[in-house]
Amino acid sequence: MFISHSWDYSDEYERLVELLDQANYFEYRNYSVPEEDAIDAVTENQLEEALQEKQIKPVSVVIVLAGLYSTYSDWIGKEIRIAEDEDKPILGVEPWGSDRTSDYVERHADEMVRWNTSSIVDSVRDLSP
Protein backbone atom coordinates (compact mmCIF):
# COMPACT_ATOMS: atom_id res chain seq x y z
CA MET A 1 0.00 0.00 0.00
CA PHE A 2 0.98 3.60 -0.49
CA ILE A 3 0.23 6.08 2.29
CA SER A 4 -0.11 9.60 0.95
CA HIS A 5 0.84 12.11 3.61
CA SER A 6 2.40 15.49 4.18
CA TRP A 7 5.94 15.54 5.50
CA ASP A 8 4.93 18.58 7.56
CA TYR A 9 2.54 16.28 9.44
CA SER A 10 4.73 13.17 9.55
CA ASP A 11 3.70 12.33 13.14
CA GLU A 12 0.31 11.17 11.83
CA TYR A 13 2.02 9.06 9.18
CA GLU A 14 4.32 7.48 11.78
CA ARG A 15 1.35 6.72 14.08
CA LEU A 16 -0.57 5.13 11.20
CA VAL A 17 2.38 2.93 10.21
CA GLU A 18 2.79 1.88 13.84
CA LEU A 19 -0.92 1.08 14.06
CA LEU A 20 -0.76 -1.05 10.89
CA ASP A 21 2.45 -2.77 12.02
CA GLN A 22 0.72 -3.84 15.25
CA ALA A 23 -2.48 -5.07 13.60
CA ASN A 24 -3.15 -8.78 14.12
CA TYR A 25 -3.07 -11.06 11.07
CA PHE A 26 -2.23 -8.20 8.73
CA GLU A 27 0.86 -8.00 6.55
CA TYR A 28 1.60 -5.32 4.03
CA ARG A 29 4.43 -3.69 2.13
CA ASN A 30 4.77 0.05 2.58
CA TYR A 31 5.55 1.86 -0.70
CA SER A 32 5.31 5.30 0.90
CA VAL A 33 8.00 7.94 0.70
CA PRO A 34 9.19 9.02 4.14
CA GLU A 35 11.08 12.30 4.28
CA GLU A 36 14.35 10.59 5.23
CA ASP A 37 14.16 8.45 2.06
CA ALA A 38 13.04 11.04 -0.49
CA ILE A 39 12.91 10.14 -4.19
CA ASP A 40 16.00 11.32 -6.04
CA ALA A 41 14.56 13.39 -8.87
CA VAL A 42 15.76 16.60 -10.48
CA THR A 43 12.47 17.88 -11.89
CA GLU A 44 8.88 17.79 -10.72
CA ASN A 45 7.96 15.66 -13.77
CA GLN A 46 10.63 13.10 -12.85
CA LEU A 47 9.29 13.01 -9.30
CA GLU A 48 5.71 12.47 -10.51
CA GLU A 49 6.85 9.71 -12.87
CA ALA A 50 8.79 7.97 -10.09
CA LEU A 51 5.79 8.21 -7.77
CA GLN A 52 3.54 6.71 -10.42
CA GLU A 53 5.84 3.91 -11.57
CA LYS A 54 7.62 2.89 -8.36
CA GLN A 55 5.34 3.89 -5.51
CA ILE A 56 1.71 3.81 -6.66
CA LYS A 57 1.51 1.45 -9.66
CA PRO A 58 2.62 -1.64 -7.66
CA VAL A 59 0.13 -1.21 -4.79
CA SER A 60 -3.40 -2.48 -4.29
CA VAL A 61 -4.65 0.44 -2.14
CA VAL A 62 -3.68 4.08 -1.63
CA ILE A 63 -4.34 5.41 1.85
CA VAL A 64 -4.70 9.17 2.26
CA LEU A 65 -4.54 10.84 5.66
CA ALA A 66 -7.49 13.20 5.45
CA GLY A 67 -6.45 16.07 7.70
CA LEU A 68 -7.49 19.54 6.56
CA TYR A 69 -3.93 20.15 5.35
CA SER A 70 -4.57 17.53 2.63
CA THR A 71 -6.87 19.98 0.87
CA TYR A 72 -3.99 22.42 0.40
CA SER A 73 -1.17 20.01 -0.39
CA ASP A 74 -0.23 20.00 -4.07
CA TRP A 75 1.56 16.68 -3.73
CA ILE A 76 -1.28 14.89 -1.96
CA GLY A 77 -3.52 16.09 -4.79
CA LYS A 78 -1.06 14.74 -7.36
CA GLU A 79 -0.83 11.40 -5.57
CA ILE A 80 -4.63 11.13 -5.53
CA ARG A 81 -4.75 11.94 -9.26
CA ILE A 82 -2.07 9.33 -9.98
CA ALA A 83 -4.01 6.75 -7.93
CA GLU A 84 -7.13 7.52 -9.95
CA ASP A 85 -5.19 7.32 -13.23
CA GLU A 86 -3.90 3.90 -12.17
CA ASP A 87 -7.38 2.76 -11.02
CA LYS A 88 -6.17 2.26 -7.47
CA PRO A 89 -8.80 2.38 -4.73
CA ILE A 90 -8.36 5.27 -2.31
CA LEU A 91 -8.99 4.87 1.41
CA GLY A 92 -9.34 8.12 3.32
CA VAL A 93 -8.43 7.96 7.01
CA GLU A 94 -9.59 10.64 9.40
CA PRO A 95 -6.65 11.61 11.61
CA TRP A 96 -6.79 10.75 15.30
CA GLY A 97 -8.82 13.28 17.27
CA SER A 98 -9.72 15.31 14.20
CA ASP A 99 -12.88 17.39 14.27
CA ARG A 100 -12.84 18.04 10.52
CA THR A 101 -11.43 16.31 7.50
CA SER A 102 -10.47 17.32 4.00
CA ASP A 103 -13.49 17.66 1.71
CA TYR A 104 -11.09 17.06 -1.20
CA VAL A 105 -10.05 13.66 0.16
CA GLU A 106 -13.65 12.76 0.99
CA ARG A 107 -14.71 13.51 -2.61
CA HIS A 108 -11.98 11.30 -4.07
CA ALA A 109 -11.93 8.45 -1.57
CA ASP A 110 -13.63 5.19 -2.40
CA GLU A 111 -14.13 4.76 1.32
CA MET A 112 -13.59 6.90 4.45
CA VAL A 113 -12.84 5.46 7.89
CA ARG A 114 -12.10 6.82 11.32
CA TRP A 115 -8.79 6.27 13.09
CA ASN A 116 -9.40 2.70 14.21
CA THR A 117 -7.18 -0.31 13.52
CA SER A 118 -9.93 -2.76 12.61
CA SER A 119 -11.77 -0.21 10.42
CA ILE A 120 -8.61 0.61 8.49
CA VAL A 121 -7.49 -3.02 8.09
CA ASP A 122 -11.00 -4.20 7.12
CA SER A 123 -11.27 -1.45 4.51
CA VAL A 124 -7.84 -2.23 3.06
CA ARG A 125 -8.90 -5.86 2.73
CA ASP A 126 -12.25 -4.89 1.18
CA LEU A 127 -10.70 -2.49 -1.32
CA SER A 128 -7.82 -4.76 -2.34
CA PRO A 129 -8.38 -6.73 -5.54
Side-chain angles (χ1 to χ4, degrees):
M1 76 183 64
F2 178 82
I3 303 170
S4 178
H5 64 286
S6 170
W7 287 347
D8 291 337
Y9 296 88
S10 62
D11 288 351
E12 288 179 355
Y13 167 78
E14 307 261 337
R15 282 195 298 270
L16 179 60
V17 168
E18 186 175 310
L19 181 134
L20 293 171
D21 287 347
Q22 294 175 0
N24 292 325
Y25 309 108
F26 183 70
E27 292 183 28
Y28 71 100
R29 181 168 175 198
N30 188 348
Y31 283 83
S32 305
V33 183
E35 188 171 11
E36 64 274 2
D37 195 20
I39 294 172
D40 186 25
V42 177
T43 67
E44 196 169 297
N45 285 342
Q46 288 175 334
L47 181 55
E48 273 191 69
E49 185 176 321
L51 274 169
Q52 182 166 1
E53 295 300 319
K54 296 178 181 173
Q55 312 311 129
I56 296 176
K57 191 175 266 190
V59 305
S60 55
V61 175
V62 172
I63 295 178
V64 181
L65 292 169
L68 284 178
Y69 58 83
S70 298
T71 302
Y72 307 104
S73 170
D74 290 339
W75 279 104
I76 291 175
K78 288 176 187 189
E79 291 164 352
I80 288 171
R81 182 189 49 74
I82 291 169
E84 291 174 336
D85 288 349
E86 292 295 330
D87 291 324
K88 302 298 178 177
I90 298 170
L91 173 62
V93 177
E94 296 179 23
W96 175 256
S98 176
D99 293 333
R100 296 185 53 204
T101 58
S102 166
D103 291 337
Y104 180 79
V105 173
E106 287 185 27
R107 283 193 314 273
H108 291 273
D110 294 288
E111 195 168 322
M112 288 291 298
V113 295
R114 298 186 71 76
W115 191 274
N116 174 285
T117 305
S118 60
S119 297
I120 296 167
V121 169
D122 288 348
S123 291
V124 167
R125 287 181 174 139
D126 289 345
L127 291 171
S128 296

